[in-house]
Amino acid sequence: MVSIPAQEQPGVALEQPRVTQELSGQYATHDVTNQPPPLAPYDASEDTALLEGLRREGAGWAEEDIRRLGLRAGSVEAQEWGEQANRHEPELRTHDRYGHRVDEVEFHPSWHHLMRVAVAEGLAGAPWADERRGAHVARTAGGLVWGHTEAGHGCPTSMTYAAVPVLRRQPELAKVYEPLLTSREYDPELRVPTEKRGLLAGMGMTEKQGGSDVRTNTTTATPTAEPGVYTLRGHKWFTSAPMCDVFLVLAQAPGGLSCFLVPRVLPDGTRNTFRIQRLKDKLGNRSNASSEPEFDGTVAWLVGPEGRGVKTIIEMVNCTRLDCVMSSATLMRKTLVEAGHHVRHRSAFGARLIDQPLMRNVLADLALESEAATTLTLRLAGAADRAVRGDDPDGAEAAFRRIATAVGKYWVTKRGPAFTAEALECLGGNGYVEESGMPRHYREAPLLSIWEGSGNVNALDVLRALSREPATAEALFAELALAQGADARLDAAVTRLKGLLAAGSEAGARRLVEQTALTLQASLLVRHAPTPIADAFCASRLGGDWGHAFGTLPDAADVDGILGRALPGGA
């Protein structure tokens, strides 16, 4: 026999439950306890390793600006901009209401707020117009703090920065465009470039059949009757920031693969053919539009000689690779700050998380990785600044920049995904929900290893440079020699590195680059960081006293000293 609940029996009147207000309050379920307060507002520049590196690499004059920008980056407003720019993604509008082809990308106002600040603060092309020594270091430091807001808008600022030295290969083009690319005014309207207050530059290298193997590109460049002017026909596979004003692209001219400047709007005000077929549906970097443009009779100006396209555009790659290292270091620092804030305010099993030995080991291990990444980033920026300014009479800094940027691009970007995953785990389930912001950072992390050459491309580039360009190996080992004798584990690592280099195995290229990166980072920390940092890094990364996950530092590590330096407000 099946019983019928009283509420379903006809004719049965139910007495409604009577809950007094007092009883309801006594058993309330929505009191919030043991949850951290919001992190924002906070100071994104409160990073001892960053400020020390800024001064050491010749840009101490920018410290006040960096501190001001750090406060703005950590503000409630700027953090909200970052969240909104990713929630309201860019939309492609191929035609207007009348059916005319327009190929425009529409962005949420928060994107424009982020871009406006970034350009005004000199994070795009401005350093090339700044005669002060250290201007490129100051820009990198600015990126390390403003990047706490949102990563996607760093793509157009990075490419704009990187386009300037390439355009200088064609002085008549540089004379027209460089003053606008180095401007600190953000002007998002699409119109004749020379009528704008400032320009942004993009880049179109890869195609669907080749990816990083750009020499297989099929886009063609046909000369016109006007010297230096060509028309392009082809389809690019991964062109980020299609709303930019001008683009540097590669195409096959009669003399071979060449570099070209493509404006979105021609000097007479007509739209250049730049048909955006679609926007990429990406894992992360959602705020930034990445596209597949089609060229068909697209007007372009030759940059550099025909057939030397890769050699011409390589300076752009050197600059954007540095920004990949910078962005990975920024993600590390941002997620470390988030993790540190959470564990300082969260308790479990009778104690605050920050006071529990194993959690402190995890945080200290992350802090070592973050400081090593930041220190290397600023050293690379210093080398770039000295090399491009001519403060490098023997070419040593240029050679060091050549090899160390590729090494840093490989290793620091590789460490990013594992780092952000561990930092997310410090927040537990709270870190796994979108509201925390940590999933966005986690999805962003793999991009930096892929953009501007994946791991294998960079590893082979390092191997090729060390074997074919003797000056790069000399510069690398000269840098390492500056810390010789300071730590036996570091000295042993340098010896191992020389052995790996002598072997020169292509299959072992990743092993070589990893050893190079760790040895270089250790040498910088031995020279510039306090003893707790340098000793723990050498013991774990070089001495083998380490596990396979973060949080496996040896018991002898000075965790208190590491965290006291790394976490805002101390440990």
Side-chain angles (χ1 to χ4, degrees):
M1 179 177 179
V2 179
S3 62
I4 301 175
Q7 64 267 30
E8 296 180 16
Q9 297 180 24
V12 176
L14 296 179
E15 181 180 353
Q16 297 299 315
R18 289 173 294 182
V19 181
T20 65
Q21 186 172 359
E22 292 78 15
L23 187 61
S24 176
Q26 182 180 350
Y27 292 100
T29 63
H30 291 287
D31 291 338
V32 178
T33 61
N34 197 27
Q35 291 285 351
L39 172 61
Y42 73 101
D43 183 356
S45 70
E46 191 178 349
D47 181 352
T48 304
L50 185 153
L51 295 175
E52 288 179 353
L54 178 75
R55 301 176 199 124
R56 186 171 57 247
E57 297 298 337
W61 50 263
E63 183 169 341
E64 183 178 344
D65 287 337
I66 296 299
R67 289 183 179 273
R68 175 182 48 77
L69 186 59
L71 288 171
R72 189 166 192 186
S75 69
V76 173
E77 180 183 51
Q79 291 295 307
E80 181 65 15
W81 288 343
E83 194 279 328
Q84 289 179 346
N86 283 272
R87 184 169 7 121
H88 305 285
E89 298 177 15
E91 296 181 359
L92 172 62
R93 190 162 66 95
T94 57
H95 297 77
D96 67 13
R97 60 180 291 191
Y98 305 106
H100 302 121
R101 188 95 195 197
V102 292
D103 295 291
E104 294 181 355
V105 181
E106 296 179 348
F107 292 84
H108 188 267
S110 58
W111 168 272
H112 297 295
H113 295 325
L114 291 165
M115 286 295 302
R116 190 167 290 107
V117 173
V119 173
E121 295 291 341
L123 305 187
W128 300 103
D130 192 334
E131 297 182 356
R132 291 174 292 183
R133 291 184 177 181
H136 296 267
V137 178
R139 174 192 174 269
T140 299
L144 286 165
V145 297
W146 185 244
H148 280 235
T149 59
E150 196 280 322
H153 78 291
C155 180
T157 58
S158 177
M159 293 188 296
T160 302
Y161 170 70
V164 173
V166 179
L167 273 185
R168 288 179 174 179
R169 298 289 188 96
Q170 208 71 29
E172 64 273 19
L173 292 177
K175 182 179 180 180
V176 174
Y177 292 104
E178 184 172 332
L180 296 166
L181 290 169
T182 58
S183 167
R184 289 178 180 250
E185 291 197 55
Y186 174 60
D187 185 349
E189 296 298 322
L190 190 60
R191 59 180 188 272
V192 177
T194 53
E195 296 177 1
K196 297 185 62 173
R197 302 185 307 275
L199 300 180
L200 295 174
M203 177 170 58
M205 295 177 64
T206 62
E207 297 181 6
K208 52 184 174 288
Q209 80 289 339
S212 295
D213 187 7
V214 295
R215 295 188 187 280
T216 64
N217 280 5
T218 61
T219 297
T220 58
T222 303
T224 68
E226 185 177 351
V229 181
Y230 293 65
T231 57
L232 307 186
R233 189 170 191 274
H235 184 181
K236 291 297 178 178
W237 185 237
F238 226 110
T239 298
S240 285
M243 69 292 177
C244 288
D245 302 285
V246 295
F247 294 82
L248 288 170
V249 304
L250 295 178
Q252 299 286 0
L257 190 66
S258 307
C259 181
F260 296 90
L261 179 73
V262 175
R264 286 294 313 269
V265 180
L266 295 171
D268 64 2
T270 60
R271 297 283 184 98
N272 207 359
T273 304
F274 194 97
R275 301 192 188 108
I276 303 175
Q277 301 304 309
R278 62 172 174 168
L279 299 184
K280 298 289 193 179
D281 187 6
K282 299 175 291 184
L283 168 68
N285 203 247
R286 306 285 297 189
S287 69
N288 177 41
S290 299
S291 68
E292 293 179 32
E294 183 180 78
F295 302 145
D296 189 8
T298 303
V299 179
W301 280 262
L302 181 67
V303 180
E306 268 197 19
R308 304 299 296 275
V310 173
K311 187 174 181 61
T312 299
I313 209 168
I314 197 66
E315 180 60 25
M316 190 173 198
V317 175
N318 285 335
C319 292
T320 50
R321 281 182 175 177
L322 171 58
D323 280 6
C324 287
V325 182
M326 175 192 75
S327 295
S328 287
T330 304
L331 273 176
M332 290 181 186
R333 181 63 189 174
K334 168 64 172 174
T335 54
L336 174 64
V337 170
E338 293 277 3
H341 175 75
H342 180 87
V343 302
R344 181 177 280 122
H345 293 92
R346 179 83 163 173
S347 296
F349 308 109
R352 288 191 311 161
L353 292 178
I354 188 64
D355 297 327
Q356 299 186 21
L358 188 53
M359 179 59 79
R360 292 178 70 78
N361 193 307
V362 171
L363 286 172
D365 212 350
L366 292 173
L368 289 179
E369 196 74 30
S370 176
E371 176 152 350
T374 297
T375 302
L376 177 58
T377 298
L378 290 167
R379 175 66 184 92
L380 296 176
D385 189 87
R386 289 182 281 276
V388 301
R389 291 184 180 282
D391 297 337
D392 183 28
D394 59 0
E397 286 290 88
F400 176 78
R401 176 200 185 199
R402 164 72 179 94
I403 191 64
T405 300
V407 167
K409 165 65 169 74
Y410 173 85
W411 181 244
V412 176
T413 63
K414 273 275 181 281
R415 299 297 288 157
F419 186 105
T420 51
E422 194 68 61
L424 182 155
E425 189 175 326
C426 291
L427 277 67
N430 289 346
Y432 201 69
V433 298
E434 287 292 337
E435 289 172 312
S436 72
M438 296 296 272
R440 169 159 61 91
H441 302 319
Y442 181 60
R443 290 192 298 270
E444 186 72 27
L447 166 67
L448 287 317
S449 182
I450 295 171
W451 188 36
E452 299 302 15
S454 60
N456 283 355
V457 170
N458 276 270
L460 292 173
D461 185 37
V462 171
L463 183 64
R464 183 167 52 250
L466 288 173
S467 60
R468 299 179 184 176
E469 303 172 38
T472 61
E474 293 172 7
L476 172 64
F477 286 105
E479 179 78 13
L480 297 176
L482 296 175
Q484 186 174 357
D487 188 290
R489 295 159 299 195
L490 175 56
D491 290 344
V494 174
T495 300
R496 289 196 299 272
L497 180 58
K498 291 178 178 178
L500 287 172
L501 180 57
S505 162
E506 182 173 316
R510 285 190 174 216
R511 186 179 180 88
L512 168 66
V513 180
E514 177 176 322
Q515 182 70 28
T516 303
L518 290 172
T519 306
L520 179 56
Q521 287 181 322
S523 71
L524 290 169
L525 295 179
V526 164
R527 290 165 55 200
H528 304 304
T531 299
I533 304 292
D535 184 68
F537 190 91
C538 289
S540 56
R541 275 63 169 176
L542 300 183
D545 198 357
W546 200 30
H548 295 287
F550 288 107
T552 54
L553 293 178
D555 289 346
D558 184 355
V559 169
D560 292 346
I562 296 169
L563 293 181
R565 173 179 171 84
L567 297 183

